[in-house]
Amino acid sequence: MKNFVKSIKMLRYGLQVKMQLILTLAFFVLGIVFELTMSRVDSGSIISGLYLAISGVYVFQLMMSSSVSTLVQTSSLKRGLQTVHPVIFTTLTTLLTYTIFVCIRVVRINKMGGKDFDESTLNASKGIIAVGLMAALLLVYMGICYKLFIVSIVILCIGVVAIMLMGNISLVSRVFDFANDMSLTSIIALGYGCIIVGGLLCRLFMGLLYRRSIDMLAVRTALRQASLK
């Protein structure tokens, strides 16, 4: 626990902290604005949830960038910073932003008449699962990208395209037909389950790839410079 707290405190030493925080805030605000202003016709869209999911995983980059300094490389914090701590903290922040998305969407669904009122409210409910899958995919991507960049990009692209198609209003009902008879509570629980599984897979991949050198294709110029200090 002490090392985990130290890892969180080290976020301030991550590269481009201000820029990362600005981007996190921007995605967070855009996600909320899009969800609040979404029309009934677009009720099944997951764009707002995607932005909120991205804002939840941005902290992962700060922890990884703070782990490449020479000081950390020779300390007991190294393994935790490159395997366990980013996963725990990022999973928690992702669950937080997902909860905000779910709360707003549930209010919208209830105002429209409830999950089973019509096709629009049903699609809006199914979008909750799609966003959970998207958040899980982002966690898996983060667990791989710093060590196998090309592989992670391929996985991310395939996954994003697939989930965006599933989240498309014209396709969502057919893809998520299994959720037709599920309660809204069960749908939400499934979304949370997806994120938790994504966090576990992220931890698994980071552990398996721990001894592999950081893939320089995955890092920015600033991160490359930090690794040479």
Side-chain angles (χ1 to χ4, degrees), residues 96-174:
L96 174 62
T97 56
Y98 182 71
T99 298
I100 293 172
F101 162 76
V102 168
C103 288
I104 298 174
R105 177 146 297 196
V106 167
V107 170
R108 288 183 55 246
I109 291 171
N110 289 334
K111 284 185 176 180
M112 289 190 295
K115 168 185 171 290
D116 300 315
F117 181 75
D118 58 16
E119 185 177 359
S120 294
T121 57
L122 182 59
N123 287 341
S125 302
K126 293 177 180 179
I128 293 174
I129 302 176
V131 172
L133 286 172
M134 184 69 76
L137 175 63
L138 289 173
L139 286 169
V140 173
Y141 166 74
M142 287 297 179
I144 300 174
C145 70
Y146 285 95
K147 301 299 178 73
L148 295 171
F149 182 67
I150 299 300
V151 173
S152 68
I153 288 295
V154 172
I155 293 175
L156 182 65
C157 290
I158 294 175
V160 167
V161 170
I163 295 173
M164 291 299 289
L165 287 176
M166 287 191 293
N168 185 278
I169 299 170
S170 63
L171 297 175
V172 69
S173 290
R174 283 172 286 173

Side-chain angles (χ1 to χ4, degrees), residues 77-90:
L77 284 176
K78 178 184 176 181
R79 188 176 186 89
L81 276 171
Q82 293 189 1
T83 56
V84 181
H85 302 161
V87 178
I88 295 175
F89 195 56
T90 305

Side-chain angles (χ1 to χ4, degrees), residues 31-39 48 104 108:
I32 292 178
V33 170
F34 285 169
E35 184 64 25
L36 289 173
T37 59
M38 194 176 296
S39 67
S48 58
I104 298 174
R108 288 183 55 246

Side-chain angles (χ1 to χ4, degrees), residues 7-225:
S7 297
I8 295 176
K9 290 181 178 180
M10 287 189 65
L11 287 174
R12 73 182 72 177
Y13 303 114
L15 299 174
Q16 299 177 322
V17 175
K18 291 183 179 180
M19 179 58 67
Q20 296 285 3
L21 291 177
I22 290 173
L23 290 173
T24 297
L25 182 60
F27 279 114
F28 182 77
V29 172
L30 284 173
I32 292 178
V33 170
F34 285 169
E35 184 64 25
L36 289 173
T37 59
M38 194 176 296
S39 67
R40 189 182 185 89
V41 176
D42 298 324
S43 60
S45 174
I46 63 172
I47 294 298
S48 58
L50 173 60
Y51 283 154
L52 285 168
I54 291 174
S55 70
V57 300
Y58 248 111
V59 70
F60 192 98
Q61 299 184 62
L62 287 176
M63 274 199 170
M64 285 299 296
S65 67
S66 68
S67 72
V68 299
S69 69
T70 303
L71 180 61
V72 172
Q73 295 299 308
T74 58
S75 75
S76 59
L77 284 176
K78 178 184 176 181
R79 188 176 186 89
L81 276 171
Q82 293 189 1
T83 56
V84 181
H85 302 161
V87 178
I88 295 175
F89 195 56
T90 305
T91 301
L92 290 175
T93 56
T94 301
L95 288 170
L96 174 62
T97 56
Y98 182 71
T99 298
I100 293 172
F101 162 76
V102 168
C103 288
I104 298 174
R105 177 146 297 196
V106 167
V107 170
R108 288 183 55 246
I109 291 171
N110 289 334
K111 284 185 176 180
M112 289 190 295
K115 168 185 171 290
D116 300 315
F117 181 75
D118 58 16
E119 185 177 359
S120 294
T121 57
L122 182 59
N123 287 341
S125 302
K126 293 177 180 179
I128 293 174
I129 302 176
V131 172
L133 286 172
M134 184 69 76
L137 175 63
L138 289 173
L139 286 169
V140 173
Y141 166 74
M142 287 297 179
I144 300 174
C145 70
Y146 285 95
K147 301 299 178 73
L148 295 171
F149 182 67
I150 299 300
V151 173
S152 68
I153 288 295
V154 172
I155 293 175
L156 182 65
C157 290
I158 294 175
V160 167
V161 170
I163 295 173
M164 291 299 289
L165 287 176
M166 287 191 293
N168 185 278
I169 299 170
S170 63
L171 297 175
V172 69
S173 290
R174 283 172 286 173
V175 175
F176 291 124
D177 272 347
F178 66 87
N180 286 348
D181 298 323
M182 294 174 62
S183 67
L184 186 55
T185 300
S186 298
I187 288 175
I188 294 171
L190 180 58
Y192 278 109
C194 289
I195 294 174
I196 292 172
V197 170
L200 292 174
L201 289 174
C202 179
R203 171 63 182 91
L204 174 63
F205 289 129
M206 291 191 75
L208 292 174
L209 299 172
Y210 171 66
R211 297 189 182 280
R212 187 182 181 92
S213 300
I214 290 179
D215 190 335
M216 297 310 290
L217 289 174
V219 295
R220 301 175 180 179
T221 301
L223 187 55
R224 288 200 298 268
Q225 291 174 346

